[in-house]
Each structure stands twice: as structure tokens, then as C-alpha cells.
Amino acid sequence: MHVMVIGGGLLGLTTAFSLRRHGLSVSLLEQETGPGRATSFANGGMLHASQANPWNEPGVFWHALKMLGKEDAALLVRYKALPSLLGWGMQFVRHSRPDRYLHNFEQNARLAAYSLACMRELRAAVGSDYDYSARGTLKLFRSPEAVAGAATMCRQLSEWGVRFEAVNGQRAVELEPALGRIESLLAGGLYFPDDEAGDAQAFCALLAGACVARGVRIEYGVKIDRLLRSGDRIEGVLGSRGLQTADAYVLAAGPWSAPLAAGIGLKLPLRPVKGYSLTLCAHGWAGRPGLPVIDDSLHAAVCPLGDRLRVAGTAEFTGFDLTLTPGRINNLFSLATQLYPDFAPHLDREAAVRWCGLRPMSSDGVALMGPTPLHNLYLNTGHGQLGWTLAAGAGQLVADQIARQSPALDPAPYQLARFG
Ligand SMILES: Cc1cc2nc3c(=O)[nH]c(=O)nc-3n(C[C@H](O)[C@H](O)[C@H](O)COP(=O)(O)OP(=O)(O)OC[C@H]3O[C@@H](n4cnc5c(N)ncnc54)[C@H](O)[C@@H]3O)c2cc1C
């Protein structure tokens, strides 16, 4: 059987690799000139089962309403995006009901834990030359109320196998001495020892190489304009290299999966949510941090990648617009130095790599993986803010279903059919 994967980001590549391991013939089509050039390019760098909670947590509707149109909000909904969010937005809000939220949180947490185990197997194939580190994640809170709220979430996580340690300011500084200057501002924190970090694009490049070495045919610079449907199956894809065909197809085109699927009458509950990152050189700063840190009150994360710091954050509903808004970039500069005041004299703003990407966000906060009503079309998309964390497990889970092998996790909670 020949399977064609559409999309060469984290999810397309892990799927292609796992399919090939099952002995299937695999090709992958990607419109960019190399692997991991879209949303997987410069994400936050953290593989964090500890942050598996969907973004549509209880109360999200009122929060989003307050933030509507506010340029400096961590979660910004632009007025122009409202029409495209109507149906999806209602589902997003519906899934913030406490019971739904908890159910979806659990699906993410279980997949994330499985995925970290699968990453170990992938590392055996690709090595760890992607600024890999396994020092855990530290999440910081600046108010006692936030610490108390987080404690509830952690009780859930520990039931699902995610280990954590509650820390005070002093312990936080012990874990990451670069936080010393802000110790007095910290109300508490949580340390998750099993989380990992790494550069997603570098990993994509290594995995693409491993795929090719094992016989996957990867074609870059091929833009798929549309899928060709005949009855309940896909006949082929039509793109910049004409008609290309296979026995089965995996749509792993990130947020662009939705318009491609819409072209064949398949509605995916998926919208792009824009986020920004800065990659800063910290080579000259002897006291630079080594531990990925999330500052809950600043809505930002700073992740060390070798001698660079990746600062990522913010969510913006603005359709497929990839404009780098200067205000939001400046905000990230300021967040980096609020967390690490000692970094300010070493910060080279000119050399900073500014980036934004579109998270493929499903309306319930759980990815869309596996079969569709078209019997030879499969999905691997919708991993939202968790695509780096979930990629290895998601690729395996989708490949298992295509190869008719029994998956390690029940695939039903991740399938499109859950939307009825
Ligand atoms: C600011 C930011 C920070 C993040 N931080 C983290 C983090 O710390 N941890 C974490 O787990 N996740 C994080 N994420 C989420 C994660 O990066 C994404 O979920 C993940 O990259 C999605 O991968 P993907 O393969 O689905 O999509 P992509 O990487 O976008 O891959 C899809 C590919 O399909 C290709 N494609 C699209 N349309 C076509 C077409 N018509 N023809 C051919 N090719 C096509 C695209 O060019 C692209 O390469 C972050 C995201 C952002 C934006």
C-alpha cells in the first residue's frame, strides 16, 4: 500500500516515519523548500505533558470577550476574525463546560505521556542533535490565588501519570539560579521533572533525513491545490506537479488542512491561532538559564535551546494572517527581561529572530487524528499549542490505524467521528 502524507511539519514527518516503520510505501509532499518551515519552525521548544490542558478552560468565553480587540491582550480576538469563528467559537465555548474540559484535558495528558515515550524511540533513530534537553519545566506564579488554582490542575495531572513538585521561590531559584533577581516576586511554582525541550525545526530536519534514509520519498516545493474526491474516496491530489495518486492519504497540513478538506466537502472544526516567538542569542551571558520556564502571570515561556533563548507566547485569532505585528514582538522582548532582568545588558535586539506561526486549533482542544468519512483519507492535525509535545505519539497512533495494527491508546477520542 502506498500512503501519501500531505505536509512536512512535525505531524506529517512523524506520521511518515511511523508508516514506513510499518513497512508501507510512503511519499510526503510539502509546499515549502524544506521540512518544518511553517508552524513547526520556531515554536516554544517545550515538550510538556504538564501543559496538556486545553485552552478552552471554564470561563474562557468571558475572558475572550473582555479581551476583544485589545492589542496587548495575551489572548487577542480581532474583530475581523469574528465571522470565521462563529460556529467553531460556539463549539469552543461549549467544550469549556467543566466536565467536557476535564475529559479533553485527560485525552491530551494521556497522549502527551505516550508521546514522550515515543520520542525516546525516535531519538534512537535521529539522535539528539536538536538542542535536546531533559531538565523538566518550571511554571511560576506571582499570586497566591494562581498557586491555589494550579494545585487543582496538578491533582488531575498526577492521576494521569504526570509527576510534579510544588516549589517556593527559594526552591525555584535553586532549580534555576538565573531567577535569583525575581525571587521576591514569586508566590510559588510547580516543577515538572519529566518534560523535555528541543528545537522543533532542527528535529524536523533530522527526522526528514531519517525518513529518506529509510525509503520515504519526500518532495519539497509541491503545493497541493485540491484533493480530488470520487464518492467516498480520494482519487488523487492536484497541485503544482499535476495529478499525484496513492492508495491512502494523510492530511497533515497544519491549519491549512481545514481549507483543503473543505474543498471536498469535509468540514474540520479547526481554526488558525497565531502565536509569536523570539530567538535570542544568550552566548555572552555567563549566567544564562538552562531550564525551560513558564511565567503564568506574564503568559510567556522562555526555553533555552543550546546558547539561544526561545521566548514564546500570546494567542491571536486573526485568520491566516502571518503579519509580524511590532507591538506583540516588543511585548516578548519585555517579557524576557521581566523574567530575567540580568539578561537586559546582553540582549541584542538586532540579532533576534522574530517569528510567528499559526497553531492548528480544534474546537474542543483535542487533536483530529485517524479516519474520516472518506475511507482512504486520514487526518493528523489540530494539535494546537501542543503539536511538539504530541507529535511522536500522534504519528505512531495514526500510522497504527492505517497499517491496521492495534494502537497503544484507544484512538476513538481523537477521531473526527467524535463530533458526530
Ligand atoms: C508561538 C508558538 C509556540 C508554540 N510552542 C509550542 C511548545 O512549546 N510546545 C508544543 O508542544 N507545541 C508548541 N506549539 C505548537 C506546535 O508548534 C504546532 O502544534 C505544530 O508545529 C503543528 O505542526 P503541524 O505539522 O500540524 O503543522 P505545520 O508545522 O504547519 O506543518 C504543516 C505543513 O503542511 C504544509 N502545507 C500546508 N498546506 C499545504 C499544501 N496545500 N500543499 C503542500 N503542503 C502544504 C505547510 O507548508 C507545513 O509545512 C507552538 C506554536 C506556536 C505558534
Side-chain angles (χ1 to χ4, degrees):
M1 174 157 88
H2 171 205
V3 187
M4 182 182 287
V5 179
I6 301 166
L10 281 164
L11 277 304
L13 287 163
T14 55
T15 312
F17 186 84
S18 300
L19 284 167
R20 188 69 198 119
R21 271 209 306 210
H22 279 311
L24 302 180
S25 157
V26 185
S27 57
L28 183 149
L29 304 181
E30 165 56 51
Q31 65 186 353
E32 298 288 345
T33 51
R37 301 283 169 92
T39 315
S40 304
F41 186 71
N43 67 19
M46 290 181 287
L47 292 94
H48 42 196
S50 64
Q51 308 302 311
N53 47 307
W55 276 1
N56 36 348
E57 56 191 14
V60 72
F61 176 69
W62 299 110
H63 181 68
L65 208 61
K66 272 194 273 174
M67 299 299 156
L68 195 62
K70 280 195 183 155
E71 274 302 323
D72 58 346
L75 172 68
L76 167 63
V77 183
R78 289 197 187 277
Y79 286 105
K80 69 169 188 192
L82 281 179
S84 70
L85 290 176
L86 276 181
W88 181 93
M90 273 157 65
Q91 278 187 4
F92 189 75
V93 170
R94 203 173 312 130
H95 281 282
S96 68
R97 237 178 44 199
D99 58 329
R100 296 303 311 159
Y101 170 75
L102 208 60
H103 170 82
N104 295 331
F105 190 173
E106 179 173 359
Q107 309 318 317
N108 286 348
R110 292 198 188 284
L111 179 58
Y114 173 58
S115 197
L116 287 182
C118 293
M119 271 307 277
R120 283 195 281 279
E121 287 175 34
L122 286 188
R123 258 196 311 282
V126 306
S128 53
D129 202 7
Y130 57 97
D131 286 324
Y132 162 73
S133 70
R135 297 187 48 180
T137 303
L138 180 60
K139 187 164 187 177
L140 301 175
F141 304 95
R142 298 190 185 218
S143 75
E145 299 76 39
V147 176
T152 317
M153 183 186 96
C154 281
R155 274 194 291 278
Q156 283 303 331
L157 278 172
S158 59
E159 275 176 35
W160 302 324
V162 178
R163 295 191 303 145
F164 74 97
E165 175 192 340
V167 302
N168 59 18
Q170 191 189 355
R171 172 76 177 128
V173 175
E174 243 171 68
L175 288 164
E176 180 43 76
L179 292 168
R181 281 276 299 279
I182 64 158
E183 182 180 338
S184 61
L185 304 176
L186 302 178
L190 296 164
Y191 174 56
F192 301 96
D194 300 323
D195 288 347
E196 297 177 1
D199 183 322
Q201 199 279 327
F203 177 82
C204 284
L206 291 171
L207 190 56
C211 282
V212 170
R214 285 161 176 75
V216 175
R217 206 178 69 242
I218 302 188
E219 287 183 62
Y220 296 111
V222 185
K223 181 176 188 309
I224 305 304
D225 296 320
R226 60 193 179 98
L227 310 179
L228 298 178
R229 174 178 181 167
S230 167
D232 66 352
R233 54 178 284 115
I234 298 292
E235 290 289 327
V237 300
L238 204 54
S240 49
R241 298 213 180 132
L243 175 67
Q244 293 180 279
T245 60
D247 301 307
Y249 301 82
V250 182
L251 193 48
W256 300 275
S257 303
L260 280 171
I264 49 164
L266 185 63
K267 234 170 125 178
L268 301 185
L270 193 68
R271 291 292 180 277
V273 181
K274 188 173 173 181
Y276 292 79
S277 80
L278 281 178
T279 308
L280 307 168
C281 176
H283 183 69
W285 180 22
R288 65 175 177 267
L291 184 65
V293 171
I294 301 169
D295 189 319
D296 183 70
S297 65
L298 300 180
H299 300 284
V302 178
C303 180
L305 296 170
D307 61 4
R308 301 169 299 156
L309 295 180
R310 175 75 46 81
V311 189
T314 76
E316 194 176 327
F317 288 90
T318 183
F320 284 90
D321 177 6
L322 276 167
T323 311
L324 274 171
T325 310
R328 296 189 80 78
I329 288 288
N330 289 338
N331 198 29
L332 288 183
F333 278 116
S334 135
L335 297 177
T337 50
Q338 281 180 64
L339 189 60
Y340 295 118
D342 290 339
F343 183 39
H346 306 279
L347 176 57
D348 181 351
R349 291 174 78 102
E350 293 306 307
V353 179
R354 298 152 167 86
W355 176 82
C356 66
L358 301 172
R359 304 173 182 94
M361 192 70 76
S362 71
S363 58
D364 63 358
V366 177
L368 303 167
M369 304 189 291
T372 68
L374 283 89
H375 74 78
N376 63 345
L377 178 66
Y378 297 81
L379 301 173
N380 203 357
T381 185
H383 303 76
Q385 77 283 14
L386 289 168
W388 187 198
T389 309
L390 302 178
Q396 188 63 49
L397 200 62
V398 172
D400 289 345
Q401 291 172 79
I402 297 172
R404 308 263 186 267
Q405 302 289 318
S406 44
L409 292 184
D410 175 8
Y414 309 102
Q415 294 175 350
L416 182 63
R418 71 182 184 270
F419 287 97

